[in-house]
Amino acid sequence: MPITDGQGDLMRTDVAERATWRQWAGLAVLALPAMLVMIDMSVLHLAIPRLSADLLPSASELLWITDIYGFLIAGALIPMGALGDRVGRRRVLLIGAAAFGVASVLAAYAPSAETLIAARALLGLAGAALGPSTLSLISVMFHDPRQRTMAITIWMASFMAGGAVGPLVGGVMLEYFWWGSVFLAAVPVMVLLVVLGPILLPEYRDPRPARLDLPSAVLSLTAALTVVYGIKELAKDGVAWVPAAAIVLGLLTGLQFVRRQRRLTQPLLDLSLFSNRNFTVSLSTLTITVIFMLGTQFLMAQYMQLVLGLSPLTAGLWGLPLVIAGTVAIFVASAAATRIDRAYVFGAALVVAAAGFAVLTQADASAGLPIVVTGSVLLFAGLMPVSGLGIDMIVSSAPPQQAGSAAAVGETTQELGGALGIALIGSLVNAVYHHQMAPVVPDHLPAAADTLPATLAAAQHIPGSAGDELVAHARNAFADGLQLTAAIAIPVLLVLAGVAVLLLKRVGEPPLQERRSEANVA
């Protein structure tokens, strides 16, 4: 059955036709929700003091308010991607957009902590519907490989920019309005998507859709939720039996999910995707990249505020050059990938990131902003193109009817990689910090050796120069942990660059007919 463009016009399938204004306008409609999903992940942290004073949540409720959104996005991505492949990607996207808008209003005017938790949960499920649907629609809207790479690059740049501008948007909203206003920025964008989506976006679903296996969806959701929960709790509170048990449960559930997929004739996730070298190498590279990128970003925020003494707003503003450099680098890498083997682009970007870590090995407590910003700019200029090209290769390597599932796997990897990066790199820095601080903290304040914020708080109660000396020692200890992280990252990224070049070299685009012969429109 032929593909239509959403308006009933036939689209040729014998050649890779160039995208028209309608596809590019559709891309603009798809990029905005991607940005807003990331903004919603970061903007709440600024509103915590005000909503806490208003809603009076317990400590447990406050944790669920902040974490339930990310947990459900991570857990629901694969089921939502598979659902879009089966019932229609545009349909799932529009339902998700409508739900996201309603949940945003509910969160903004939540009268209680319980209502806000429920609204954040609905936002997470709706956000999980948006991500895979947008990426998989891009894969069928842009048939020319170069244009598709550019389209996914624009989408990825919007996705990354959302995380950077979130704190700034939240700061402006909180400056003039109440805490609930941080959620309302999403509403007009979602209304725009619901109105323009049926006009600009084509519908697509698998021409021979399998039934949605609900036990597989439950296993996938449970595995991702428990693993992400366990990793985040370990990063917050250190080793404890509850988060460790959650991770073990998640891994066992994931193993059962894999076994079930192998038995089913119509699995929720086709594991044959992982036999594609393009898919597997890109996914592995993306995972390691996200671990270092988000883990280091987590450290940079603390370093700028607690070591250099910058305010949260100033630290956020100094984070903009990182995102600008990374965004420019994504477009440069995308253009380069159309002219040379993208394996070399992968390798060169990872070498640039390693150079950024080399600069960060010089970031001691007295280095100041120039060293930190320069190293971070190089780091993001190297790692963001790897993320963008990696997502492009993951989605492009899958058959059209499985693009939603492939996109969901890629985004789930980013969620897990981000949580793992914060846990691993945070634990490494905390271990170095505790090792250096334990011998110097006062005997009556042993907890002050655990974290830099704890030490700074304790130092305020130590009179005279002893408190100042403790602060200086603490800042040096934290900087030493950052330097060790950077030193470890350099050889890892250089080896990864060599492996990526070796395994991805001369891995071309799948044949056009293979990518499009199964297309169908509802």
Side-chain angles (χ1 to χ4, degrees):
M1 184 175 179
I3 305 174
T4 67
D5 61 3
Q7 301 299 305
D9 300 327
L10 290 179
M11 297 170 62
R12 294 170 55 198
T13 59
D14 57 328
V15 295
E17 64 273 347
R18 306 279 292 177
T20 67
W21 67 268
R22 181 175 289 160
Q23 281 76 45
W24 292 108
L27 175 63
V29 172
L30 294 176
L32 286 175
M35 179 182 291
L36 279 171
V37 168
M38 285 301 294
I39 288 176
D40 254 48
M41 279 190 172
S42 59
V43 75
L44 180 67
H45 297 287
L46 292 174
I48 287 296
R50 293 191 186 180
L51 74 85
S52 297
D54 189 11
L55 301 182
L56 301 177
S58 66
S60 175
E61 288 173 335
L62 190 59
L63 286 175
W64 281 112
I65 288 171
T66 57
D67 289 340
I68 190 65
Y69 177 76
F71 286 168
L72 283 177
I73 281 186
L77 279 169
I78 290 178
M80 288 296 184
L83 182 65
D85 287 341
R86 287 160 172 79
V87 305
R89 295 167 187 167
R90 186 178 68 183
R91 180 180 300 173
V92 171
L93 175 68
L94 296 180
I95 292 174
F100 201 97
V102 171
S104 296
V105 174
L106 181 61
Y109 295 98
S112 66
E114 294 83 357
T115 304
L116 183 56
I117 292 171
R120 291 280 289 170
L122 180 57
L123 281 169
L125 291 174
L130 295 175
S133 297
T134 55
L135 264 179
S136 54
L137 278 173
I138 289 173
S139 72
V140 296
M141 289 165 59
F142 295 88
H143 308 299
D144 179 81
R146 294 186 178 186
Q147 289 191 322
R148 185 175 61 250
T149 296
M150 179 56 66
I152 291 180
T153 296
I154 293 172
W155 181 92
M156 192 68 185
S158 300
F159 189 78
M160 293 292 186
V165 303
L168 299 179
V169 171
V172 171
M173 299 292 283
L174 292 172
E175 184 73 21
Y176 298 102
F177 306 103
W178 86 112
W179 62 264
S181 65
V182 299
F183 297 107
L184 294 181
V187 175
V189 175
M190 294 305 162
V191 170
L192 186 69
L193 176 56
V194 170
V195 172
L196 296 182
I199 300 172
L200 297 174
L201 303 177
E203 180 59 289
Y204 178 92
R205 66 166 179 260
D206 189 340
R208 293 182 293 275
R211 67 179 181 85
L212 186 67
D213 185 58
L214 291 180
S216 293
V218 172
L219 288 172
S220 172
L221 181 65
T222 303
L225 279 176
T226 50
V227 168
V228 172
Y229 168 79
I231 291 174
K232 287 192 173 185
E233 290 303 303
L234 286 178
K236 288 179 184 176
D237 305 320
V239 178
W241 74 268
V242 172
I247 292 174
V248 171
L249 174 62
L251 294 176
L252 292 175
T253 305
L255 180 61
Q256 182 60 32
F257 172 79
V258 171
R259 289 176 174 172
R260 183 172 180 84
Q261 303 317 293
R262 288 176 173 171
R263 291 197 307 265
L264 294 174
T265 57
Q266 297 178 329
L268 180 74
L269 177 64
D270 188 353
L271 299 182
S272 65
L273 284 172
F274 293 89
S275 63
N276 184 307
R277 182 200 294 183
N278 215 359
F279 181 89
T280 303
V281 174
S282 299
L283 190 65
S284 302
T285 304
L286 181 64
T287 302
I288 298 174
T289 296
V290 171
I291 286 174
F292 280 113
M293 183 163 63
L294 295 187
T296 306
Q297 188 176 25
F298 172 71
L299 289 185
M300 285 296 98
Q302 296 183 72
Y303 181 90
M304 287 186 177
Q305 294 179 59
L306 302 178
V307 176
L308 300 183
L310 302 182
S311 68
L313 179 59
T314 303
L317 290 172
W318 277 109
L320 288 179
L322 283 60
V323 178
I324 293 172
T327 302
V328 171
I330 283 182
F331 287 101
V332 172
S334 174
T338 64
R339 292 171 172 80
I340 62 176
D341 193 320
R342 64 178 58 198
Y344 296 117
V345 180
F346 261 74
L350 289 167
V351 170
V352 171
F357 275 118
V359 174
L360 290 178
T361 60
Q362 308 304 308
D364 56 29
S366 59
L369 277 173
I371 291 292
V372 176
V373 173
T374 300
S376 300
V377 163
L378 288 172
L379 177 63
F380 272 68
L383 294 185
M384 284 182 67
V386 174
S387 298
L389 289 176
I391 285 289
D392 178 28
M393 294 179 74
I394 287 169
V395 175
S396 300
S397 63
Q401 66 271 22
Q402 295 178 352
S405 295
V409 171
E411 292 189 54
T412 302
T413 294
Q414 293 188 82
E415 293 294 329
L416 294 175
L420 192 59
I422 292 173
L424 291 178
I425 293 178
S427 298
L428 175 62
V429 172
N430 285 341
V432 172
Y433 184 84
H434 183 79
H435 175 74
Q436 294 193 21
M437 293 302 298
V440 300
V441 298
D443 293 336
H444 65 285
L445 295 172
D450 293 340
T451 65
L452 180 54
T455 305
L456 296 180
Q460 295 178 357
H461 303 287
I462 300 176
S465 61
D468 295 334
E469 292 175 1
L470 183 63
V471 169
H473 197 90
R475 287 172 171 165
N476 283 323
F478 187 89
D480 287 346
L482 173 60
Q483 290 175 333
L484 178 60
T485 299
I488 292 173
I490 294 170
V492 172
L493 292 182
L494 291 177
V495 170
L496 186 62
V499 171
V501 171
L502 180 65
L503 296 182
L504 292 177
K505 188 178 180 181
R506 291 187 297 274
V507 177
E509 281 283 328
L512 177 65
Q513 291 298 331
E514 177 184 323
R515 283 184 47 78
R516 302 182 56 194
S517 60
E518 299 296 330
N520 182 54
V521 176

